[in-house]
Amino acid sequence: MKDGSRGFNCSAIGFCAGLLFAGGLSFAQEQPGAKVTIEVGTTSVPKQAERWFTEQIASFQRAHPNIAVTTVALTVPIRPIDTSLQALPRLAENVIGIQGTFDDETAYLVANDLIEPIEKFLPDPEFKREDFFENAWSSVTYDGKTWGVPWFMDSLWIYCDWSLFEAAGIKEPPRTWDQFWDCVQRLTKDRDGDGQIDQWGLRITPDIGLEWSLWMTRDLQDGVKYAKDGVVSFDQPATRKNLEFIQKLTTSPYVYKGSGYSFGLGDTAPVKSSMYLVSNFHQHLKEMVDALGRFAKNKRLRAIEIPTDGPTVIAPSLRLYLAVRKSTPEKEAASWEFIKWVNRADAPLPEYWNGYPCRADFWQRVDVQQWQTGLCQDAEAIFRSSGHSGTVDFSFSGRQLYTFIGILSPLVSGSATVDQTIQALNQAKPQVEVAPQKKPKSDELFK
């Protein structure tokens, strides 16, 4: 793989991206005299990163003058996470973007004989599987083969206002759940003595799934298995314990649950919290994107990983992959070169992205090392958390995710019991496995 454009956008502090996309748009033109033309699409590139991605395509074509790239369904219109790949009007001819975690898009593509396993292109001296987080491969591992290359993956972490920790005499961040609960209580205060709390131990922005992420994280740390004999059940002892913890936490006076995304910092902040539970999954919330950008550069903050009493693992994350669609040997080889190019060690990064690159060596890049000097304390913890994202033993769609979040809402507000919540979760009927339905060959998807 030849050397290409390098660089790093130093404003890449959003840790977020726009929603996922599926419409049609072709802006990379075929080059005169090119020997091979490939089409790239359904990549879920955020709209605000469109310029970055077109520059990536242009740099690829400069380094590979015998390959031309056209595009479809990169950024417009928006593809919500509850719109599956199966529902798209058509897929790109050569390089297909896959969303991991929600639905089993990999299984669908494999069942319909649409993509090639990466083993077909290996060994390749320019590509090493170990350069990527090992956990990132799970969503594209199917039937004993690997069907795509990890691209971006989101994360879950906590921001601490470290000045408030120091004022409370807390010298170390919470590593276990008991320590976390202790900090949440100790950092909640009535600072002006008027009998009203004006500093909370924790902030959780409601209705965006953070409680779900916290619950799933604790269940994964406890090794919960939901599927047995083809049936998914949430009536598990550890699940019950963890839902009780989530309810205790979210209904306590120590947690601020007000709506809005303009997080308060500093002594004059209208809402002052000591810890903030954060995910960069919320790509569509511009206020949150802007707030996280400010947080990332705030030196009074410290990023920490989610506590654990056992394994270091967090809830399933949204993951983006690139796969080679079956075509001619020449187009498949060119598609593989493209996937390697956008995943190379020194690939430029967009201003905003859906999570972090899945390369395990990302934080060792010289430009990233220079960039992190302007970030909050221990910013690397945000990146490390991506490498701890786990998976559950049942498949669920983006629509079902919203259903789960809705089911948890009464629990976290205190209007539903744990028993009622478990019953509602079981009635949601998640699938243990996805049994992809083959569409007729006349369907536009296969054209």
Side-chain angles (χ1 to χ4, degrees):
M1 186 165 50
K2 302 175 184 177
D3 233 2
S5 62
R6 290 181 170 82
F8 182 80
N9 190 325
C10 292
S11 60
I13 41 75
F15 305 125
C16 297
L19 280 170
L20 308 177
F21 307 96
L25 178 65
S26 181
F27 46 73
Q29 301 300 316
E30 183 170 344
Q31 294 177 322
K35 297 178 181 179
V36 180
T37 299
I38 59 172
E39 184 181 66
V40 177
T42 61
T43 52
S44 300
V45 172
K47 178 63 177 176
Q48 57 265 41
E50 180 178 350
R51 179 177 178 182
W52 159 79
F53 197 58
T54 57
E55 289 175 349
Q56 283 277 75
I57 292 172
S59 69
F60 172 78
Q61 292 185 126
R62 288 193 297 270
H64 303 80
N66 62 321
I67 303 174
V69 180
T70 61
T71 63
V72 61
L74 285 187
T75 62
V76 187
I78 291 171
R79 176 188 177 191
I81 66 169
D82 59 353
T83 300
S84 65
L85 180 146
Q86 295 92 313
L88 298 181
R90 81 175 185 92
L91 299 179
E93 292 291 338
N94 304 110
V95 177
I96 298 175
I98 301 175
Q99 295 177 23
T101 301
F102 308 121
D103 285 327
D104 199 336
E105 297 188 349
T106 301
Y108 175 82
L109 292 167
V110 174
N112 285 281
D113 199 29
L114 286 173
I115 56 177
E116 295 282 8
I118 70 169
E119 287 82 0
K120 181 174 181 178
F121 310 102
L122 301 177
D124 183 332
E126 297 174 345
F127 184 87
K128 295 180 181 178
R129 182 186 177 108
E130 57 268 27
D131 284 341
F132 298 81
F133 283 132
E134 183 57 35
N135 66 314
W137 294 102
S138 59
S139 295
V140 285
T141 300
Y142 182 79
D143 197 23
K145 297 180 181 179
T146 310
W147 301 89
V149 175
W151 197 18
F152 289 102
M153 183 164 60
D154 70 10
S155 186
L156 179 72
W157 71 98
I158 296 171
Y159 274 130
C160 301
D161 189 332
W162 203 245
S163 64
L164 301 182
F165 275 71
E166 292 175 334
I170 302 174
K171 298 181 179 180
E172 295 292 333
R175 306 298 184 190
T176 69
W177 288 109
D178 283 346
Q179 292 172 357
F180 174 74
W181 177 240
D182 180 63
C183 285
V184 169
Q185 296 175 81
R186 289 175 61 184
L187 291 164
T188 300
K189 299 180 181 297
D190 171 14
R191 292 164 61 92
D192 58 11
D194 66 353
Q196 301 292 321
I197 293 174
D198 49 22
Q199 175 184 305
W200 284 264
L202 177 69
R203 173 166 181 157
I204 301 178
T205 301
D207 303 321
I208 58 175
L210 290 174
E211 299 94 345
W212 178 88
S213 295
L214 206 56
W215 162 47
M216 280 282 111
T217 292
R218 285 178 58 99
D219 268 16
L220 285 173
Q221 291 176 354
D222 285 340
V224 172
K225 301 296 182 185
Y226 306 96
K228 184 178 180 180
D229 299 327
V231 177
V232 170
S233 174
F234 294 99
D235 194 1
Q236 314 277 351
T239 295
R240 184 175 296 275
K241 175 199 71 173
N242 292 329
L243 288 175
E244 289 172 351
F245 174 82
I246 299 302
Q247 186 172 54
K248 178 181 75 170
L249 178 71
T250 55
T251 58
S252 75
Y254 316 118
V255 176
Y256 182 80
K257 300 177 288 292
S259 60
Y261 314 110
S262 55
F263 305 115
L265 284 175
D267 294 333
T268 60
V271 177
K272 192 173 186 62
S273 297
S274 306
M275 291 187 286
Y276 304 79
L277 182 64
V278 179
S279 168
N280 55 6
F281 171 71
H282 313 294
Q283 311 94 322
H284 58 297
L285 303 175
K286 185 179 185 301
E287 288 180 89
M288 180 167 281
V289 170
D290 293 342
L292 292 180
R294 294 193 300 272
F295 269 38
K297 296 184 293 183
N298 194 299
K299 290 293 188 179
R300 71 185 282 166
L301 293 183
R302 179 174 180 176
I304 67 169
E305 296 185 59
I306 300 296
T308 181
D309 294 331
T312 303
V313 61
I314 61 172
S317 62
L318 182 64
R319 306 169 180 188
L320 304 182
Y321 299 86
L322 296 176
V324 175
R325 185 170 181 173
K326 286 191 173 183
S327 57
T328 66
E330 293 78 15
K331 288 180 179 289
E332 289 180 3
S335 299
W336 176 247
E337 289 299 318
F338 179 84
I339 291 174
K340 288 193 301 178
W341 182 260
V342 297
N343 273 296
R344 67 197 187 278
D346 60 349
L349 297 173
E351 181 174 358
Y352 296 104
W353 64 86
N354 190 341
Y356 275 102
C358 296
R359 290 189 63 101
D361 58 359
F362 166 75
W363 208 254
Q364 278 67 56
R365 286 173 49 156
V366 174
D367 51 357
V368 175
Q369 290 289 311
Q370 294 171 344
W371 164 61
Q372 69 163 310
T373 59
L375 297 181
C376 68
Q377 303 175 56
D378 299 334
E380 187 179 354
I382 306 169
F383 170 65
R384 287 198 308 268
S385 294
S386 295
H388 299 147
S389 173
T391 56
V392 294
D393 60 347
F394 63 91
S395 297
F396 57 95
S397 66
R399 189 176 298 277
Q400 283 176 313
L401 172 63
Y402 287 133
T403 299
F404 293 154
I405 292 172
I407 290 171
L408 286 185
S409 291
L411 176 83
V412 301
S413 67
S415 60
T417 66
V418 170
D419 283 337
Q420 291 170 331
T421 302
I422 289 175
Q423 182 179 9
L425 288 168
N426 283 335
Q427 290 174 347
K429 297 180 179 179
Q431 300 298 309
V432 178
E433 293 181 348
V434 171
Q437 298 295 316
K438 288 194 175 185
K439 289 193 173 186
K441 291 299 180 182
S442 60
D443 191 295
E444 180 66 23
L445 182 68
F446 296 95
K447 292 182 178 179

